[in-house]
Amino acid sequence: MKVAICDDDKQFLKIFEKQFEGISAVSSVDCFSEQKDLIAELLSSYDVIFMDLDWGKEHNGIGIAAELAEINCPSRIVFVTAYIDRFVQQVYFQKINVAGFLLKPVDQQMLQQCVDIIVSQLKEEDENILIVKENGRKIALRMADILYIESQDHYMNIYTRDREHHVPESLSELQKRLTEDFVRCHKGFIVNMSYIYEYGSKRISLKNQKEIPVGRKYSEELKKRYISYIAGKI
């Protein structure tokens, strides 16, 4: 598990970094005292970011965590602070991937428990999260939020409930990493069967009224897969 720790206090960073040395699940730890350095390094992505709630001058830790959520950064956030009461309401009203809180000075046993819980959660979610690269950055997409995927030139357009993502990966390679809820219906389209409203031999209507073409080559397989999918839901 790759970890980043973020705090203005460089002395605290040194102490906190050493606390991870005895935790076997952690493979690497990077320290950041400046927000801009963390953003630049997110190309490599972290499984968990331990972030001081009061970190930074322009934005506090909550602000930067919200920015990371906006760009679909897959990293989980654990806030570290000595003043948790000052920020509870701010955290509650933000869309942040919060995995926990730790009080300063950080208790070693609490840190170990926090890491163990996150490792367990990551294992459970691995099969339901699609990690892709967009604009050079790794992002995590919940497969349950993906409506359909369309091939366009050398890119894939992934359409989720609230946005569109452009990914430099082939449709065939992407299909290998999807769950059984997805089916190829055309040489240029994959659909999430949970969003199908109506299907026929030539086209599929999704619940958002989007119509997807069905290729003759894929029609029979689509029919079998969708009937099986619906039967499993009854």
Side-chain angles (χ1 to χ4, degrees), residues 45-102:
S45 187
Y46 295 96
D47 295 299
V48 190
I49 301 174
F50 290 83
M51 186 182 298
D52 180 24
L53 267 171
D54 206 16
W55 181 46
K57 297 177 181 178
E58 294 184 13
H59 307 285
N60 59 22
I62 300 168
I64 192 67
E67 287 185 18
L68 297 182
E70 277 293 311
I71 62 171
N72 274 42
C73 173
S75 306
R76 291 169 179 266
I77 307 294
V78 175
F79 286 121
V80 186
T81 183
Y83 312 102
I84 194 168
D85 291 345
R86 287 171 50 191
F87 300 100
V88 169
Q89 290 188 42
Q90 289 184 52
V91 172
Y92 178 77
F93 289 114
Q94 292 285 353
K95 185 180 179 182
I96 303 171
N97 189 15
V98 180
F101 289 86
L102 290 172

Short mmCIF file of all heavy atoms in Angstrom, two decimals, residues 45-102:
data_model
loop_
_atom_site.label_atom_id
_atom_site.label_comp_id
_atom_site.label_asym_id
_atom_site.label_seq_id
_atom_site.Cartn_x
_atom_site.Cartn_y
_atom_site.Cartn_z
N SER A 45 -0.23 8.21 -7.94
CA SER A 45 -1.37 7.81 -7.12
C SER A 45 -0.98 7.13 -5.82
O SER A 45 -0.01 6.39 -5.74
CB SER A 45 -2.31 6.91 -7.91
OG SER A 45 -3.48 6.66 -7.19
N TYR A 46 -1.76 7.40 -4.78
CA TYR A 46 -1.56 6.81 -3.47
C TYR A 46 -2.83 6.08 -3.05
O TYR A 46 -3.93 6.52 -3.36
CB TYR A 46 -1.20 7.89 -2.44
CG TYR A 46 0.12 8.54 -2.72
CD1 TYR A 46 0.19 9.75 -3.41
CD2 TYR A 46 1.31 7.94 -2.31
CE1 TYR A 46 1.41 10.34 -3.69
CE2 TYR A 46 2.53 8.53 -2.59
CZ TYR A 46 2.58 9.73 -3.28
OH TYR A 46 3.79 10.30 -3.57
N ASP A 47 -2.64 5.00 -2.32
CA ASP A 47 -3.80 4.28 -1.79
C ASP A 47 -4.45 5.09 -0.67
O ASP A 47 -5.67 5.16 -0.57
CB ASP A 47 -3.38 2.91 -1.26
CG ASP A 47 -2.86 2.01 -2.37
OD1 ASP A 47 -3.63 1.71 -3.29
OD2 ASP A 47 -1.68 1.63 -2.30
N VAL A 48 -3.60 5.69 0.17
CA VAL A 48 -4.10 6.48 1.31
C VAL A 48 -3.26 7.74 1.46
O VAL A 48 -2.03 7.71 1.32
CB VAL A 48 -4.02 5.69 2.63
CG1 VAL A 48 -4.76 6.43 3.74
CG2 VAL A 48 -4.57 4.29 2.48
N ILE A 49 -3.94 8.84 1.76
CA ILE A 49 -3.26 10.10 2.08
C ILE A 49 -3.63 10.48 3.50
O ILE A 49 -4.80 10.71 3.81
CB ILE A 49 -3.66 11.23 1.11
CG1 ILE A 49 -3.32 10.84 -0.33
CG2 ILE A 49 -2.96 12.54 1.50
CD1 ILE A 49 -3.82 11.85 -1.36
N PHE A 50 -2.63 10.53 4.38
CA PHE A 50 -2.83 10.99 5.76
C PHE A 50 -2.56 12.49 5.76
O PHE A 50 -1.44 12.94 5.53
CB PHE A 50 -1.87 10.26 6.71
CG PHE A 50 -2.21 8.81 6.91
CD1 PHE A 50 -1.79 7.85 6.00
CD2 PHE A 50 -2.95 8.39 8.01
CE1 PHE A 50 -2.09 6.51 6.16
CE2 PHE A 50 -3.27 7.05 8.19
CZ PHE A 50 -2.84 6.11 7.27
N MET A 51 -3.60 13.27 6.00
CA MET A 51 -3.53 14.71 5.78
C MET A 51 -3.92 15.51 7.02
O MET A 51 -4.97 15.25 7.63
CB MET A 51 -4.44 15.08 4.62
CG MET A 51 -4.37 16.53 4.17
SD MET A 51 -5.54 16.85 2.81
CE MET A 51 -4.90 15.77 1.53
N ASP A 52 -3.08 16.47 7.37
CA ASP A 52 -3.41 17.38 8.47
C ASP A 52 -4.65 18.19 8.09
O ASP A 52 -4.71 18.76 6.99
CB ASP A 52 -2.22 18.30 8.72
CG ASP A 52 -2.47 19.29 9.85
OD1 ASP A 52 -3.32 19.00 10.71
OD2 ASP A 52 -1.82 20.36 9.86
N LEU A 53 -5.62 18.24 8.96
CA LEU A 53 -6.85 18.99 8.68
C LEU A 53 -6.57 20.47 8.43
O LEU A 53 -7.27 21.13 7.67
CB LEU A 53 -7.82 18.84 9.85
CG LEU A 53 -8.85 17.71 9.76
CD1 LEU A 53 -9.57 17.56 11.09
CD2 LEU A 53 -9.85 17.98 8.65
N ASP A 54 -5.55 20.99 9.07
CA ASP A 54 -5.24 22.41 8.97
C ASP A 54 -4.06 22.66 8.03
O ASP A 54 -3.34 23.64 8.17
CB ASP A 54 -4.90 22.96 10.37
CG ASP A 54 -5.19 24.45 10.47
OD1 ASP A 54 -5.91 24.98 9.60
OD2 ASP A 54 -4.69 25.09 11.41
N TRP A 55 -3.87 21.76 7.07
CA TRP A 55 -2.71 21.82 6.18
C TRP A 55 -2.88 22.87 5.10
O TRP A 55 -3.90 22.93 4.45
CB TRP A 55 -2.49 20.46 5.54
CG TRP A 55 -1.30 20.35 4.62
CD1 TRP A 55 -0.05 20.81 4.86
CD2 TRP A 55 -1.27 19.73 3.33
NE1 TRP A 55 0.77 20.51 3.80
CE2 TRP A 55 0.05 19.85 2.85
CE3 TRP A 55 -2.22 19.08 2.55
CZ2 TRP A 55 0.45 19.35 1.61
CZ3 TRP A 55 -1.83 18.59 1.32
CH2 TRP A 55 -0.52 18.71 0.86
N GLY A 56 -1.85 23.69 4.90
CA GLY A 56 -1.83 24.63 3.78
C GLY A 56 -2.25 26.03 4.14
O GLY A 56 -2.86 26.29 5.17
N LYS A 57 -1.91 26.97 3.25
CA LYS A 57 -2.22 28.38 3.46
C LYS A 57 -3.47 28.80 2.70
O LYS A 57 -4.35 29.47 3.24
CB LYS A 57 -1.02 29.23 3.02
CG LYS A 57 0.24 28.97 3.84
CD LYS A 57 1.42 29.77 3.32
CE LYS A 57 2.69 29.48 4.13
NZ LYS A 57 3.85 30.22 3.60
N GLU A 58 -3.56 28.46 1.40
CA GLU A 58 -4.72 28.86 0.60
C GLU A 58 -5.97 28.06 0.97
O GLU A 58 -7.06 28.59 1.06
CB GLU A 58 -4.40 28.69 -0.89
CG GLU A 58 -3.31 29.63 -1.38
CD GLU A 58 -3.11 29.50 -2.87
OE1 GLU A 58 -3.97 28.89 -3.54
OE2 GLU A 58 -2.11 30.03 -3.37
N HIS A 59 -5.79 26.73 1.14
CA HIS A 59 -6.90 25.85 1.52
C HIS A 59 -6.44 25.02 2.69
O HIS A 59 -5.27 24.67 2.80
CB HIS A 59 -7.28 24.92 0.36
CG HIS A 59 -7.55 25.62 -0.93
ND1 HIS A 59 -8.70 26.32 -1.16
CD2 HIS A 59 -6.81 25.72 -2.05
CE1 HIS A 59 -8.67 26.81 -2.39
NE2 HIS A 59 -7.53 26.48 -2.95
N ASN A 60 -7.38 24.66 3.57
CA ASN A 60 -7.00 23.70 4.61
C ASN A 60 -7.06 22.29 4.02
O ASN A 60 -7.35 22.12 2.84
CB ASN A 60 -7.88 23.85 5.86
CG ASN A 60 -9.36 23.64 5.56
OD1 ASN A 60 -9.72 23.02 4.57
ND2 ASN A 60 -10.20 24.17 6.43
N GLY A 61 -6.80 21.29 4.85
CA GLY A 61 -6.80 19.93 4.37
C GLY A 61 -8.13 19.51 3.77
O GLY A 61 -8.19 18.73 2.81
N ILE A 62 -9.22 20.03 4.32
CA ILE A 62 -10.54 19.71 3.81
C ILE A 62 -10.71 20.23 2.39
O ILE A 62 -11.25 19.55 1.51
CB ILE A 62 -11.64 20.29 4.72
CG1 ILE A 62 -11.51 19.71 6.13
CG2 ILE A 62 -13.03 20.01 4.16
CD1 ILE A 62 -12.34 20.41 7.16
N GLY A 63 -10.22 21.44 2.14
CA GLY A 63 -10.32 22.04 0.82
C GLY A 63 -9.56 21.25 -0.24
O GLY A 63 -10.08 20.99 -1.33
N ILE A 64 -8.33 20.84 0.09
CA ILE A 64 -7.54 20.09 -0.88
C ILE A 64 -8.13 18.70 -1.08
O ILE A 64 -8.13 18.17 -2.19
CB ILE A 64 -6.05 20.01 -0.45
CG1 ILE A 64 -5.19 19.49 -1.62
CG2 ILE A 64 -5.84 19.17 0.77
CD1 ILE A 64 -5.10 20.39 -2.80
N ALA A 65 -8.67 18.09 -0.02
CA ALA A 65 -9.31 16.77 -0.16
C ALA A 65 -10.53 16.86 -1.07
O ALA A 65 -10.79 15.95 -1.87
CB ALA A 65 -9.72 16.24 1.22
N ALA A 66 -11.28 17.96 -0.97
CA ALA A 66 -12.44 18.16 -1.84
C ALA A 66 -12.01 18.32 -3.30
O ALA A 66 -12.67 17.83 -4.21
CB ALA A 66 -13.23 19.38 -1.39
N GLU A 67 -10.88 19.00 -3.52
CA GLU A 67 -10.35 19.16 -4.87
C GLU A 67 -9.94 17.81 -5.45
O GLU A 67 -10.17 17.53 -6.63
CB GLU A 67 -9.14 20.11 -4.87
CG GLU A 67 -9.50 21.56 -4.66
CD GLU A 67 -8.29 22.48 -4.79
OE1 GLU A 67 -7.27 22.03 -5.36
OE2 GLU A 67 -8.36 23.62 -4.32
N LEU A 68 -9.35 16.97 -4.63
CA LEU A 68 -8.95 15.64 -5.08
C LEU A 68 -10.18 14.82 -5.47
O LEU A 68 -10.17 14.07 -6.44
CB LEU A 68 -8.16 14.91 -3.99
CG LEU A 68 -6.83 15.55 -3.58
CD1 LEU A 68 -6.14 14.70 -2.51
CD2 LEU A 68 -5.91 15.72 -4.78
N ALA A 69 -11.25 14.96 -4.69
CA ALA A 69 -12.49 14.24 -5.00
C ALA A 69 -13.08 14.71 -6.32
O ALA A 69 -13.64 13.92 -7.08
CB ALA A 69 -13.51 14.44 -3.87
N GLU A 70 -12.94 16.01 -6.62
CA GLU A 70 -13.47 16.57 -7.86
C GLU A 70 -12.81 15.97 -9.08
O GLU A 70 -13.44 15.82 -10.13
CB GLU A 70 -13.29 18.10 -7.87
CG GLU A 70 -14.36 18.86 -7.12
CD GLU A 70 -15.70 18.75 -7.81
OE1 GLU A 70 -15.78 18.96 -9.04
OE2 GLU A 70 -16.68 18.41 -7.13
N ILE A 71 -11.51 15.64 -8.98
CA ILE A 71 -10.80 15.05 -10.13
C ILE A 71 -10.80 13.53 -10.05
O ILE A 71 -10.02 12.86 -10.72
CB ILE A 71 -9.36 15.59 -10.23
CG1 ILE A 71 -8.52 15.23 -8.99
CG2 ILE A 71 -9.34 17.08 -10.47
CD1 ILE A 71 -7.03 15.54 -9.13
N ASN A 72 -11.67 12.98 -9.21
CA ASN A 72 -11.82 11.52 -9.07
C ASN A 72 -10.53 10.83 -8.65
O ASN A 72 -10.24 9.73 -9.09
CB ASN A 72 -12.34 10.90 -10.37
CG ASN A 72 -13.85 10.92 -10.46
OD1 ASN A 72 -14.46 11.92 -10.10
ND2 ASN A 72 -14.45 9.85 -10.92
N CYS A 73 -9.78 11.48 -7.80
CA CYS A 73 -8.58 10.86 -7.25
C CYS A 73 -9.01 9.66 -6.40
O CYS A 73 -9.84 9.79 -5.51
CB CYS A 73 -7.80 11.86 -6.40
SG CYS A 73 -6.41 11.13 -5.51
N PRO A 74 -8.45 8.47 -6.66
CA PRO A 74 -8.90 7.27 -5.96
C PRO A 74 -8.40 7.15 -4.53
O PRO A 74 -8.83 6.26 -3.79
CB PRO A 74 -8.34 6.13 -6.82
CG PRO A 74 -7.12 6.71 -7.44
CD PRO A 74 -7.45 8.15 -7.70
N SER A 75 -7.47 8.01 -4.12
CA SER A 75 -6.86 7.90 -2.80
C SER A 75 -7.87 8.12 -1.68
O SER A 75 -8.71 9.02 -1.74
CB SER A 75 -5.73 8.93 -2.64
OG SER A 75 -4.79 8.81 -3.68
N ARG A 76 -7.77 7.30 -0.64
CA ARG A 76 -8.58 7.52 0.56
C ARG A 76 -7.88 8.56 1.43
O ARG A 76 -6.65 8.62 1.46
CB ARG A 76 -8.73 6.21 1.33
CG ARG A 76 -9.61 5.20 0.61
CD ARG A 76 -9.52 3.84 1.25
NE ARG A 76 -10.40 2.90 0.56
CZ ARG A 76 -11.64 2.62 0.92
NH1 ARG A 76 -12.17 3.18 1.99
NH2 ARG A 76 -12.38 1.78 0.24
N ILE A 77 -8.68 9.33 2.15
CA ILE A 77 -8.13 10.38 3.01
C ILE A 77 -8.33 10.01 4.47
O ILE A 77 -9.44 9.70 4.89
CB ILE A 77 -8.81 11.75 2.73
CG1 ILE A 77 -8.74 12.11 1.25
CG2 ILE A 77 -8.17 12.83 3.60
CD1 ILE A 77 -7.38 12.36 0.70
N VAL A 78 -7.23 10.08 5.23
CA VAL A 78 -7.32 9.97 6.69
C VAL A 78 -6.85 11.31 7.24
O VAL A 78 -5.71 11.72 7.00
CB VAL A 78 -6.43 8.84 7.26
CG1 VAL A 78 -6.46 8.84 8.78
CG2 VAL A 78 -6.90 7.48 6.74
N PHE A 79 -7.73 12.02 7.93
CA PHE A 79 -7.37 13.31 8.49
C PHE A 79 -6.66 13.12 9.82
O PHE A 79 -7.07 12.30 10.65
CB PHE A 79 -8.61 14.19 8.67
CG PHE A 79 -9.14 14.75 7.39
CD1 PHE A 79 -10.43 14.48 6.98
CD2 PHE A 79 -8.35 15.56 6.58
CE1 PHE A 79 -10.94 14.99 5.79
CE2 PHE A 79 -8.84 16.08 5.39
CZ PHE A 79 -10.13 15.79 5.00
N VAL A 80 -5.60 13.89 10.00
CA VAL A 80 -4.80 13.85 11.23
C VAL A 80 -4.82 15.24 11.84
O VAL A 80 -4.52 16.23 11.16
CB VAL A 80 -3.35 13.42 10.93
CG1 VAL A 80 -2.56 13.24 12.22
CG2 VAL A 80 -3.32 12.14 10.11
N THR A 81 -5.18 15.35 13.11
CA THR A 81 -5.29 16.68 13.72
C THR A 81 -5.24 16.61 15.24
O THR A 81 -5.50 15.56 15.84
CB THR A 81 -6.62 17.35 13.29
OG1 THR A 81 -6.69 18.67 13.84
CG2 THR A 81 -7.82 16.54 13.79
N ALA A 82 -4.91 17.73 15.82
CA ALA A 82 -4.97 17.86 17.28
C ALA A 82 -6.23 18.62 17.69
O ALA A 82 -6.53 18.74 18.87
CB ALA A 82 -3.73 18.60 17.80
N TYR A 83 -6.99 19.12 16.68
CA TYR A 83 -8.16 19.96 16.96
C TYR A 83 -9.37 19.49 16.17
O TYR A 83 -9.96 20.23 15.38
CB TYR A 83 -7.85 21.42 16.59
CG TYR A 83 -6.55 21.92 17.13
CD1 TYR A 83 -5.43 22.02 16.30
CD2 TYR A 83 -6.41 22.29 18.47
CE1 TYR A 83 -4.23 22.49 16.79
CE2 TYR A 83 -5.20 22.76 18.96
CZ TYR A 83 -4.11 22.85 18.12
OH TYR A 83 -2.93 23.30 18.60
N ILE A 84 -9.78 18.27 16.37
CA ILE A 84 -10.84 17.69 15.54
C ILE A 84 -12.16 18.44 15.66
O ILE A 84 -12.91 18.55 14.70
CB ILE A 84 -11.02 16.19 15.90
CG1 ILE A 84 -11.86 15.51 14.80
CG2 ILE A 84 -11.65 16.01 17.27
CD1 ILE A 84 -11.85 14.01 14.89
N ASP A 85 -12.46 19.02 16.82
CA ASP A 85 -13.73 19.71 17.01
C ASP A 85 -13.89 20.92 16.11
O ASP A 85 -15.00 21.33 15.79
CB ASP A 85 -13.88 20.16 18.47
CG ASP A 85 -14.07 18.98 19.41
OD1 ASP A 85 -14.35 17.88 18.92
OD2 ASP A 85 -13.90 19.15 20.64
N ARG A 86 -12.77 21.51 15.68
CA ARG A 86 -12.83 22.73 14.86
C ARG A 86 -13.31 22.45 13.44
O ARG A 86 -13.77 23.35 12.74
CB ARG A 86 -11.44 23.38 14.79
CG ARG A 86 -11.00 24.06 16.07
CD ARG A 86 -9.55 24.48 15.99
NE ARG A 86 -9.27 25.23 14.76
CZ ARG A 86 -8.03 25.51 14.34
NH1 ARG A 86 -6.99 25.10 15.02
NH2 ARG A 86 -7.84 26.20 13.23
N PHE A 87 -13.20 21.20 12.99
CA PHE A 87 -13.43 20.93 11.57
C PHE A 87 -14.53 19.91 11.26
O PHE A 87 -14.80 19.63 10.11
CB PHE A 87 -12.12 20.40 10.94
CG PHE A 87 -10.98 21.37 11.03
CD1 PHE A 87 -10.01 21.23 12.03
CD2 PHE A 87 -10.86 22.41 10.13
CE1 PHE A 87 -8.95 22.11 12.11
CE2 PHE A 87 -9.80 23.30 10.20
CZ PHE A 87 -8.85 23.16 11.19
N VAL A 88 -15.16 19.36 12.30
CA VAL A 88 -16.13 18.27 12.08
C VAL A 88 -17.22 18.67 11.09
O VAL A 88 -17.55 17.91 10.17
CB VAL A 88 -16.74 17.83 13.42
CG1 VAL A 88 -17.93 16.89 13.15
CG2 VAL A 88 -15.71 17.11 14.27
N GLN A 89 -17.82 19.84 11.27
CA GLN A 89 -18.92 20.24 10.39
C GLN A 89 -18.45 20.46 8.97
O GLN A 89 -19.15 20.12 8.01
CB GLN A 89 -19.58 21.52 10.93
CG GLN A 89 -20.36 21.29 12.22
CD GLN A 89 -21.15 22.53 12.62
OE1 GLN A 89 -21.75 23.18 11.78
NE2 GLN A 89 -21.14 22.84 13.90
N GLN A 90 -17.25 21.03 8.78
CA GLN A 90 -16.72 21.26 7.44
C GLN A 90 -16.55 19.95 6.69
O GLN A 90 -16.87 19.84 5.50
CB GLN A 90 -15.37 21.98 7.52
CG GLN A 90 -15.45 23.42 7.97
CD GLN A 90 -14.09 24.08 7.92
OE1 GLN A 90 -13.40 24.04 6.92
NE2 GLN A 90 -13.69 24.67 9.04
N VAL A 91 -16.04 18.93 7.36
CA VAL A 91 -15.84 17.63 6.74
C VAL A 91 -17.18 17.02 6.33
O VAL A 91 -17.33 16.47 5.24
CB VAL A 91 -15.10 16.66 7.69
CG1 VAL A 91 -15.06 15.26 7.11
CG2 VAL A 91 -13.69 17.17 7.97
N TYR A 92 -18.16 17.16 7.18
CA TYR A 92 -19.48 16.57 6.95
C TYR A 92 -20.13 17.12 5.68
O TYR A 92 -20.81 16.39 4.95
CB TYR A 92 -20.39 16.84 8.16
CG TYR A 92 -21.80 16.33 8.00
CD1 TYR A 92 -22.08 14.96 8.16
CD2 TYR A 92 -22.84 17.19 7.68
CE1 TYR A 92 -23.38 14.48 8.00
CE2 TYR A 92 -24.13 16.71 7.52
CZ TYR A 92 -24.39 15.36 7.69
OH TYR A 92 -25.66 14.89 7.52
N PHE A 93 -19.93 18.40 5.39
CA PHE A 93 -20.61 19.03 4.26
C PHE A 93 -19.80 18.98 2.96
O PHE A 93 -20.20 19.58 1.97
CB PHE A 93 -20.96 20.49 4.59
CG PHE A 93 -22.06 20.61 5.60
CD1 PHE A 93 -21.82 21.15 6.86
CD2 PHE A 93 -23.34 20.17 5.30
CE1 PHE A 93 -22.85 21.26 7.79
CE2 PHE A 93 -24.37 20.27 6.23
CZ PHE A 93 -24.11 20.81 7.48
N GLN A 94 -18.69 18.27 2.95
CA GLN A 94 -17.90 18.14 1.74
C GLN A 94 -17.98 16.73 1.18
O GLN A 94 -18.15 15.76 1.93
CB GLN A 94 -16.42 18.46 2.03
CG GLN A 94 -16.13 19.92 2.36
CD GLN A 94 -16.17 20.81 1.14
OE1 GLN A 94 -16.29 20.35 0.02
NE2 GLN A 94 -16.07 22.11 1.37
N LYS A 95 -17.87 16.61 -0.14
CA LYS A 95 -17.84 15.30 -0.79
C LYS A 95 -16.38 14.83 -0.82
O LYS A 95 -15.62 15.14 -1.74
CB LYS A 95 -18.40 15.40 -2.21
CG LYS A 95 -18.52 14.05 -2.91
CD LYS A 95 -19.08 14.21 -4.31
CE LYS A 95 -19.17 12.86 -5.01
NZ LYS A 95 -19.68 13.00 -6.40
N ILE A 96 -16.01 14.10 0.22
CA ILE A 96 -14.62 13.68 0.39
C ILE A 96 -14.58 12.18 0.68
O ILE A 96 -15.44 11.65 1.37
CB ILE A 96 -13.95 14.45 1.55
CG1 ILE A 96 -14.02 15.96 1.32
CG2 ILE A 96 -12.50 14.03 1.72
CD1 ILE A 96 -13.57 16.77 2.52
N ASN A 97 -13.56 11.53 0.16
CA ASN A 97 -13.39 10.09 0.38
C ASN A 97 -12.67 9.86 1.72
O ASN A 97 -11.51 9.44 1.76
CB ASN A 97 -12.60 9.48 -0.78
CG ASN A 97 -12.59 7.96 -0.74
OD1 ASN A 97 -13.37 7.34 -0.03
ND2 ASN A 97 -11.69 7.37 -1.50
N VAL A 98 -13.37 10.15 2.80
CA VAL A 98 -12.76 10.08 4.14
C VAL A 98 -12.75 8.63 4.64
O VAL A 98 -13.79 7.96 4.67
CB VAL A 98 -13.51 10.96 5.16
CG1 VAL A 98 -12.86 10.85 6.53
CG2 VAL A 98 -13.52 12.40 4.69
N ALA A 99 -11.57 8.18 5.04
CA ALA A 99 -11.43 6.80 5.54
C ALA A 99 -11.22 6.76 7.05
O ALA A 99 -11.24 5.69 7.65
CB ALA A 99 -10.26 6.11 4.85
N GLY A 100 -11.01 7.93 7.67
CA GLY A 100 -10.82 7.93 9.12
C GLY A 100 -10.21 9.22 9.64
O GLY A 100 -9.89 10.14 8.89
N PHE A 101 -10.08 9.26 10.97
CA PHE A 101 -9.46 10.39 11.67
C PHE A 101 -8.46 9.84 12.67
O PHE A 101 -8.70 8.81 13.31
CB PHE A 101 -10.52 11.20 12.43
CG PHE A 101 -11.44 12.00 11.55
CD1 PHE A 101 -12.58 11.43 11.02
CD2 PHE A 101 -11.16 13.33 11.27
CE1 PHE A 101 -13.44 12.16 10.21
CE2 PHE A 101 -12.01 14.07 10.48
CZ PHE A 101 -13.16 13.49 9.94
N LEU A 102 -7.36 10.54 12.84
CA LEU A 102 -6.37 10.21 13.86
C LEU A 102 -6.02 11.48 14.63
O LEU A 102 -5.86 12.55 14.03
CB LEU A 102 -5.10 9.61 13.25
CG LEU A 102 -5.23 8.21 12.64
CD1 LEU A 102 -3.94 7.84 11.90
CD2 LEU A 102 -5.54 7.16 13.72
#
